[in-house]
Structure formats: C-alpha cells, structure tokens
Amino acid sequence: PKLDGIEAGKIIKKESKKTKIIFLTAYSDTKKLLSAIRVQASDFLIKPVSRSELKNALDKTISIIKKENKDNRLIIDFNLQISIDIENGLIYKKGQLIDMTKSEVDLLKFFCKYQNQIVSKIDIFNYVWDDLEKEFSDVSVRNLVMNLRKKIPEGLIENIYGGGYIFKI
C-alpha cells in the first residue's frame, strides 16, 4: 500500500523478468516516463485512457509475449505444473503428456481459442464434431466437457446458466 506503480513494477520484475507491465497513470512528466522505461514497461498510458488506446497496448503486449514464447504454450501454474500447448491442444502435467482423445484435444483447442469468453454447447458441438449432418447432442457435449475437466485443474471450465461454458485463464 505504500508503493507507487513504478516501485511495484520493480518488485514484480525482480521476481519475474518475463512479466509484462502496462502502466496507467495520471502523470505525464518525463521523469515518470523514464522510470517506467527503466522498469521495462510494455507500455505507458496516460489517463484518461480510451478503449482503443488500451486495446492497442494490450495487442502490442500480446504480440511481444507471442514472439518471446515461440513454442506457443499458455502456461498455467497452480503449483501443479500444468502447461497447455494451444497450437497442438496438448496438456502437460509435471512435464508428462496427458493422454487425450481427438475430441478432447479439439475441445481444448476451442476453449483456448475462446478463453475467458462464454461459448455455447452448440458452438462446441459444431467445432468438435464438424459434421453438418450430425444432430446436436447435449449429452455428448456434457460428457466431453466432463472428461476434459478430469484432466485439467479444477475450476478452469465453468458452467454458464443457459447452456454454455467459459474457460477461465
């Protein structure tokens, strides 16, 4: 509580040099800007910040992360050493590949693509089964989600009232 953003950023960077920081501040003086640069901030936005400015800063930061993280893995660490390879839809637990069915891999890829967004059971069904002739099956989707839940940390997939899910990262 007694630290400003720059000091907090220095502490964060000591712990993890890979962590990206975007400063949102009311200060526009050169001294603060230089301090943020020394902390290796991804961006420095002066309030009030428009949605487009924030989106641009986030897009730029995501781009930097993707370049640094060439193996395209989204790392989820809950002291369980879980990592998800988004591109290939694979789960590693403590360095060991977890066996998954093709449908589970497809579902994981779908969830990673739409992480932190509500997705409907119908959208899941259409993506995973990819067969316009096949009739929608609520049971199939629920069973597939249940099986994937057994292989990932608890709480990553949440049910949404009305027939959907959200993959929270």
Side-chain angles (χ1 to χ4, degrees):
K2 295 183 182 183
L3 298 176
D4 66 9
I6 302 290
E7 292 304 314
K10 287 177 184 175
I11 292 170
I12 290 168
K13 285 294 190 172
K14 264 187 196 172
E15 288 292 315
S16 171
K17 294 197 183 296
K18 286 183 130 186
T19 300
K20 303 299 174 223
I21 299 172
I22 299 173
F23 286 106
L24 302 173
T25 183
Y27 298 105
S28 61
D29 65 327
T30 309
K31 188 177 179 182
K32 285 285 183 187
L33 179 60
L34 290 174
S35 296
I37 290 170
R38 282 188 211 106
V39 176
Q40 298 173 338
S42 298
D43 217 326
F44 187 89
L45 303 175
I46 299 170
K47 296 177 187 175
V49 177
S50 70
R51 285 182 178 206
S52 64
E53 286 176 305
L54 182 57
K55 183 184 181 313
N56 290 339
L58 291 170
D59 287 343
K60 176 181 146 190
T61 303
I62 289 168
S63 166
I64 291 167
I65 291 168
K66 284 182 179 177
K67 285 178 187 169
E68 289 176 357
N69 197 7
K70 290 180 184 159
D71 67 358
N72 201 19
R73 284 192 185 175
L74 168 64
I75 305 299
I76 307 168
D77 186 357
F78 297 99
N79 295 327
L80 298 172
Q81 298 173 350
I82 297 287
S83 65
I84 298 175
D85 178 338
I86 296 172
E87 189 172 310
N88 299 306
L90 303 173
I91 300 174
Y92 297 88
K93 193 173 201 174
K94 296 183 181 176
Q96 298 290 344
L97 180 63
I98 303 297
D99 288 332
M100 293 176 39
T101 66
K102 181 190 177 316
S103 295
E104 290 168 345
V105 170
D106 289 343
L107 178 60
L108 182 61
K109 284 181 179 180
F110 182 77
F111 276 142
C112 287
K113 185 175 181 179
Y114 297 101
Q115 60 187 312
N116 300 316
Q117 297 178 44
I118 298 171
V119 294
S120 72
K121 289 180 182 178
I122 292 172
D123 289 337
I124 291 170
F125 183 85
N126 290 334
Y127 183 86
V128 172
W129 281 274
D130 193 27
D131 182 357
L132 297 175
E133 301 299 315
K134 190 169 176 122
E135 191 171 324
F136 171 73
S137 170
D138 184 76
V139 173
S140 295
V141 173
R142 280 189 284 132
N143 286 336
L144 182 60
V145 170
M146 179 182 69
N147 290 337
L148 182 60
R149 276 185 168 141
K150 292 176 185 175
K151 298 178 181 185
I152 63 175
E154 192 175 320
L156 287 182
I157 301 173
E158 290 184 16
N159 290 4
I160 301 298
Y161 180 77
Y165 299 96
I166 188 167
F167 186 65
K168 288 197 166 187
I169 302 289

